[in-house]
């Protein structure tokens, strides 16, 4: 099974509206971390938000929030008040395992286009 | 504080050649990870170094190797280049703990002809 699944091929949102980008994950570990990154056309990966598996509250960072549903193994990213500059690829990633088995695994990504 | 830097930004090589890419992490960061990004395979983990030691490794052939120096700078080497090695190679640094966020560099775009 894939560790990180992002099934939405492409998303469109109107400027100033909110959008949810879906991410489901698969791990048997109790301790893990979930990340979201943004990759604009320039190619650089930009860290957005982090959620630890033991965190009881959903993470928030400015306009970004993570809707963490542990039982469903989902970690959806919510972007509020979309801006034109939010148009980019968005990657969900998970770090699980310990020691030599610990690494960051990325999903395939979702393209978000913000319409004016 | 300066971000992660990668050199060169663009590289064109021919099949059979070898290439060395360089990554300078954020000052104070001791962990450096390398990733390969292609349209078909997405982002794939290559390896991670921490304090000059390879901490873990992805599922890539032995042609891909790396090292880390005492100042945390890292290099990755690809020998006997193949057309399929054409990709964006991203380097990321972090403080070291597995659950710290990783900060990425701008990447090196390698084209193999």
């Amino acid at each position: 099974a894939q560790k990180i699944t992002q099934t939405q091929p492409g998303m469109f949102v109107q400027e100033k509206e909110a959008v949810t980008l879906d991410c489901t994950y698969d791990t048997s570990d109790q301790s893990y971390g979930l990340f979201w990154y943004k990759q604009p056309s320039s190619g650089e990966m930009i860290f957005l938000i982090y959620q630890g598996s033991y965190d009881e509250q959903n993470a928030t960072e400015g306009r970004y929030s993570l809707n963490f549903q542990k039982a469903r193994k989902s970690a959806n990213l919510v972007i509020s008040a979309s801006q034109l500059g939010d148009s980019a690829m968005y990657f969900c990633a998970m770090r699980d395992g310990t020691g030599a088995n610990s690494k960051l695994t990325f999903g395939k990504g979702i393209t978000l286009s913000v319409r004016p | 504080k300066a971000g992660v830097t990668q050199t060169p930004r663009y590289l064109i090589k021919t099949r059979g050649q070898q290439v060395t890419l360089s990554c300078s992490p954020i000052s104070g960061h001791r962990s450096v990870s390398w990733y390969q990004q292609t349209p078909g395979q997405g982002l794939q983990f290559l390896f991670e170094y921490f304090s000059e030691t390879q901490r873990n490794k992805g599922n890539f052939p032995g042609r891909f190797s790396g090292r880390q120096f005492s100042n945390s700078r890292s290099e990755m080497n690809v020998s006997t280049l193949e057309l399929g090695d054409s990709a964006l190679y991203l380097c990321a640094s972090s403080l070291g703990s597995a659950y710290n966020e990783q900060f990425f560099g701008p990447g090196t775009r390698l084209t193999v002809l």
Side-chain angles (χ1 to χ4, degrees):
Chain A
Q2 287 186 21
K3 280 206 165 186
I4 297 287
T5 303
Q6 296 180 263
T7 57
Q8 298 159 308
M11 293 285 288
F12 294 88
V13 65
Q14 206 66 33
E15 194 178 7
K16 299 180 185 175
E17 291 186 350
V19 63
T20 298
L21 306 181
D22 295 342
C23 172
T24 58
Y25 60 92
D26 183 35
T27 182
S28 56
D29 290 347
Q30 296 301 308
S31 179
Y32 52 89
L34 297 157
F35 303 80
W36 276 91
Y37 285 87
K38 169 185 177 182
Q39 188 178 40
S41 55
S42 60
E44 186 166 352
M45 297 284 283
I46 301 167
F47 166 76
L48 296 177
I49 197 166
Y50 165 79
Q51 179 84 43
S53 59
Y54 293 118
D55 294 342
E56 294 185 353
Q57 293 194 338
N58 287 342
T60 60
E61 288 286 348
R63 295 186 300 111
Y64 305 107
S65 61
L66 200 151
N67 184 359
F68 181 45
Q69 298 188 40
K70 197 170 182 177
R72 297 179 60 187
K73 292 189 175 178
S74 77
N76 299 339
L77 176 71
V78 180
I79 305 174
S80 63
S82 298
Q83 302 172 356
L84 296 178
D86 293 335
S87 294
M89 279 282 284
Y90 287 81
F91 292 90
C92 178
M94 176 178 66
R95 183 117 183 185
D96 63 351
T98 55
N101 295 318
S102 175
K103 61 184 181 183
L104 197 61
T105 303
F106 286 83
K108 294 291 188 184
I110 301 167
T111 301
L112 175 66
S113 299
V114 180
R115 293 170 168 155
Chain B
K1 188 184 269 192
V4 179
T5 58
Q6 291 186 248
T7 56
R9 292 292 312 277
Y10 302 91
L11 206 49
I12 299 175
K13 291 285 187 178
T14 56
R15 279 181 298 174
Q17 287 187 309
Q18 76 163 22
V19 66
T20 299
L21 312 182
S22 180
C23 171
S24 292
I26 292 172
S27 177
H29 285 192
R30 297 167 65 190
S31 170
V32 173
S33 297
W34 289 88
Y35 299 85
Q36 180 196 64
Q37 186 176 26
T38 59
Q41 299 297 318
L43 268 157
Q44 293 187 285
F45 171 75
L46 280 156
F47 26 66
E48 178 184 8
Y49 287 87
F50 179 79
S51 294
E52 301 179 66
T53 302
Q54 188 178 86
R55 188 150 69 173
N56 48 55
K57 189 177 187 301
N59 191 24
F60 277 82
R63 299 185 297 107
F64 291 81
S65 63
R67 58 178 175 168
Q68 186 179 33
F69 302 95
S70 58
N71 61 359
S72 294
R73 190 178 71 86
S74 177
E75 288 181 348
M76 69 162 279
N77 184 76
V78 188
S79 62
T80 319
L81 283 166
E82 300 176 0
L83 295 179
D85 297 334
S86 294
L88 179 67
Y89 289 88
L90 291 163
C91 160
S93 77
S94 70
L95 284 169
S97 167
Y99 300 106
N100 286 135
E101 62 265 33
Q102 295 188 344
F103 295 89
F104 283 78
T108 293
R109 180 143 328 257
L110 172 65
T111 302
V112 182
L113 302 176

